[in-house]
Amino acid sequence: MNQAIRNSWVVIVAMFMVLVVAISVIQVIAADALKNNDFNSRQLYQEFGSARGPILVDGNPIAESVESNDDFNYQRVYHDTELYSGLTGFYSLTYGATGLEDKLNRYLAGSSDGQFVDRIIELFSGTQMEGAQVELTIDPAMQELAYSVMPEGVEASVVITDPESGDILAMASKPSYDTNLLATHSGAEASANMAELQTVPGLSPYLNRPTASLPAPGSTFKLIDTVAMLESGEYQPDQVLDVPDSITLPNTNTPLGNFGGGLCGRMDEATLAEIFAQSCNTPFALAAMELGQDRIRTTAENFGFNESFEIPLTVAASQFPEDLSDAALAQSSIGQLNVKATALQMNMVAAAIANDGTMMKPQLIDTIRGSDLTLLEDVQPEVFRRSTTPEIAEQMTELMRGPLDGGTAYRAQSESVDIAAKTGTAQLGADNDLVNSWITGFAPADDPQVAVTIVYQNIDFDTGSELTSTNLKEIMEAVVTQ
């Protein structure tokens, strides 16, 4: 009898252990695979039938979940979509999640570690759990202004930041689209809408142009060159330099010249300040070859090049290449060849100069709170890197006044705001009349409140150069004097 009991006990214990192992495998090891399995309709209905947390700007939702009359109980709804589509992204039954909907999914869906207690309460009470609410750093008036200055039918980005804190006050782009078209629960409608959106020139519903697109920065890269020149101790703002109209790149037959019709072609020599204001190519190319690629690359990396990071949107790494010949270095020094930069990157360069040489990490998130308003995340200003010294930053600020005082950014000169800026034009090919047209700067120059960067991609030179400068002036006057 005792042996029978022992045998039964062994069997029961063995079955119990098998059950424990099975549960462990299902709950821990295989949990993610089961959750993400395409045939797991229960998980699908649970996710899209939940009260996902809102994304807020100035306390108002730009993305929220509202009750619906279909099988999913809740529908994701977006507001002011043209202004914010690049930031929010979409939460789609058909195409998944992009933008902040993807990067902050654990908070919005209520699955973050900080929401564990809420999940336990939901489990035992049977009440519907709501996701956390995310408050952005965006200023709605600045966002609307940034979007409005760009005409329709262009590929453009505008970024406005606070140089001291790194807060992103506006980040807008065109072309834009209505994210509600992809959030629909109807797969047929979502597919038809996506097909229509993909016919719009320059539009990708999957990308946020200011952080993902990498156009050549043109002469805005001369900010990097000039910092490297000043830091070397071999150049000063009042130093007179040769300004050849054209140079032949080393070991090639390729000429590199100044912009045709500009003042640089009328000067045999000029001070660094004058060369900077008129954006002469040849002196910067000669200086870059004299300083060497390592110094230029190190300075570029001190300002954030060659590094990807998250805000929490992924910011593509702006690029300054390695192993350059002297000819390639000369072309790279004027922001051409294989040099690439996001709009946010060139904004960071201007903001670091405005902030006495200290680059702050760009911040898009202000706070994250649970559904009961419990503070889960309170994002604080963070130093990203020390890009240059306060002394060099002060010299750069004075130099950046020059382009507005009769230089390449003369259209941006304002009677009410002291603006510091640098323009840039990147040619897209010898047989192509289109350019990338840039301007980046800050104001007021002596006490910076905002840094602003504007880039128009694939645009004709005259239109681009006029839009960038006049847009910058309009934004600076509206923001600084409000």
Side-chain angles (χ1 to χ4, degrees), residues 428-434:
L428 301 184
D431 300 326
N432 192 334
D433 293 332
L434 301 181

Side-chain angles (χ1 to χ4, degrees), residues 197-238:
L197 291 174
Q198 290 177 333
T199 66
V200 179
L203 173 63
S204 171
Y206 294 99
L207 298 177
N208 177 46
R209 182 179 293 274
T211 58
S213 183
L214 288 163
S219 291
T220 57
F221 191 81
K222 290 172 184 172
L223 292 168
I224 302 295
D225 299 332
T226 308
V227 170
M229 293 166 70
L230 295 175
E231 287 181 340
S232 73
E234 300 175 18
Y235 297 87
Q236 297 297 324
D238 59 355

Side-chain angles (χ1 to χ4, degrees), residues 94 100 125 173 205 229 260 275 278 312 332 399 424 426 456 460 479:
T94 306
L100 293 176
S125 68
S173 62
M229 293 166 70
I275 290 166
Q278 300 300 331
S332 297
L399 286 171
Y456 286 91
D460 68 272
V479 171

Side-chain angles (χ1 to χ4, degrees), residues 444-461:
D446 59 352
D447 184 22
Q449 298 175 25
V450 291
V452 178
T453 300
I454 303 169
V455 55
Y456 286 91
Q457 296 175 238
N458 304 307
I459 197 168
D460 68 272
F461 171 79

Side-chain angles (χ1 to χ4, degrees), residues 311-325:
I311 60 172
L313 296 178
T314 298
V315 181
S318 296
Q319 302 165 12
F320 188 85
E322 296 183 354
D323 301 325
L324 297 172
S325 65

Side-chain angles (χ1 to χ4, degrees), residues 40 72 100 165-166 196 204 246 257 264 275 291 407 435 463:
N40 188 353
F72 293 97
L100 293 176
S165 67
E196 182 68 23
S204 171
S246 178
C264 299
I275 290 166
L291 293 173
V435 300
T463 302

Side-chain angles (χ1 to χ4, degrees), residues 7-297:
N7 291 341
S8 298
W9 175 251
V10 170
V11 171
I12 292 171
V13 170
M15 292 176 65
F16 179 76
M17 293 303 297
V18 170
L19 181 61
V20 169
V21 171
I23 292 175
S24 299
V25 169
I26 292 172
Q27 293 290 334
V28 180
I29 300 175
D32 287 340
L34 291 170
K35 180 179 179 180
N36 296 321
N37 192 292
D38 291 339
F39 296 99
N40 188 353
S41 59
R42 180 178 178 182
Q43 178 65 31
L44 192 65
Y45 275 80
Q46 181 179 340
E47 287 184 1
F48 282 86
S50 64
R52 193 171 175 83
I55 301 174
L56 308 173
V57 168
D58 197 26
N60 298 310
I62 59 172
E64 62 179 332
S65 292
V66 300
E67 292 187 10
S68 64
N69 296 321
D70 58 21
D71 293 338
F72 293 97
N73 299 325
Y74 286 90
Q75 171 68 56
R76 199 63 167 165
V77 175
Y78 299 91
H79 307 286
D80 296 324
T81 54
E82 289 78 11
L83 298 182
Y84 297 110
S85 63
L87 302 182
T88 62
F90 53 78
Y91 186 66
S92 171
L93 185 63
T94 306
Y95 295 103
T98 62
L100 293 176
E101 292 279 25
D102 173 40
K103 295 297 184 179
L104 297 176
N105 181 65
R106 67 188 188 280
Y107 289 107
L108 297 170
S111 60
S112 70
D113 292 343
Q115 294 161 283
F116 176 76
V117 174
D118 291 338
R119 294 196 296 275
I120 294 297
I121 294 174
E122 177 197 21
L123 180 63
F124 285 99
S125 68
T127 58
Q128 173 69 56
M129 180 178 172
E130 296 181 6
Q133 54 182 258
V134 177
E135 180 78 42
L136 305 187
T137 57
I138 298 293
D139 180 301
M142 292 190 198
Q143 183 76 3
E144 186 172 356
L145 174 63
Y147 185 81
S148 68
V149 299
M150 298 177 283
E152 296 298 326
V154 299
E155 299 174 37
S157 298
V158 177
V159 179
I160 306 175
T161 63
D162 180 338
E164 188 173 0
S165 67
D167 284 354
I168 298 172
L169 306 175
M171 180 178 281
S173 62
K174 286 185 178 179
S176 188
Y177 70 103
D178 183 354
T179 34
N180 292 301
L181 295 174
L182 303 178
T184 175
H185 290 164
S186 168
E189 288 183 13
S191 297
N193 292 337
M194 176 64 85
E196 182 68 23
L197 291 174
Q198 290 177 333
T199 66
V200 179
L203 173 63
S204 171
Y206 294 99
L207 298 177
N208 177 46
R209 182 179 293 274
T211 58
S213 183
L214 288 163
S219 291
T220 57
F221 191 81
K222 290 172 184 172
L223 292 168
I224 302 295
D225 299 332
T226 308
V227 170
M229 293 166 70
L230 295 175
E231 287 181 340
S232 73
E234 300 175 18
Y235 297 87
Q236 297 297 324
D238 59 355
Q239 184 173 342
V240 176
L241 301 173
D242 290 335
V243 188
D245 189 44
S246 178
I247 61 173
T248 300
L249 297 178
N251 302 314
T252 75
N253 294 318
T254 304
L256 186 153
N258 298 311
F259 175 71
L263 294 180
C264 299
R266 308 175 195 175
M267 303 184 294
D268 294 327
E269 59 181 25
T271 65
L272 175 57
E274 293 168 331
I275 290 166
F276 184 92
Q278 300 300 331
S279 201
C280 303
N281 289 334
T282 55
F284 282 103
L286 292 170
M289 289 189 288
E290 180 178 340
L291 293 173
Q293 63 173 306
D294 289 344
R295 183 180 289 274
I296 301 297
R297 184 182 305 103

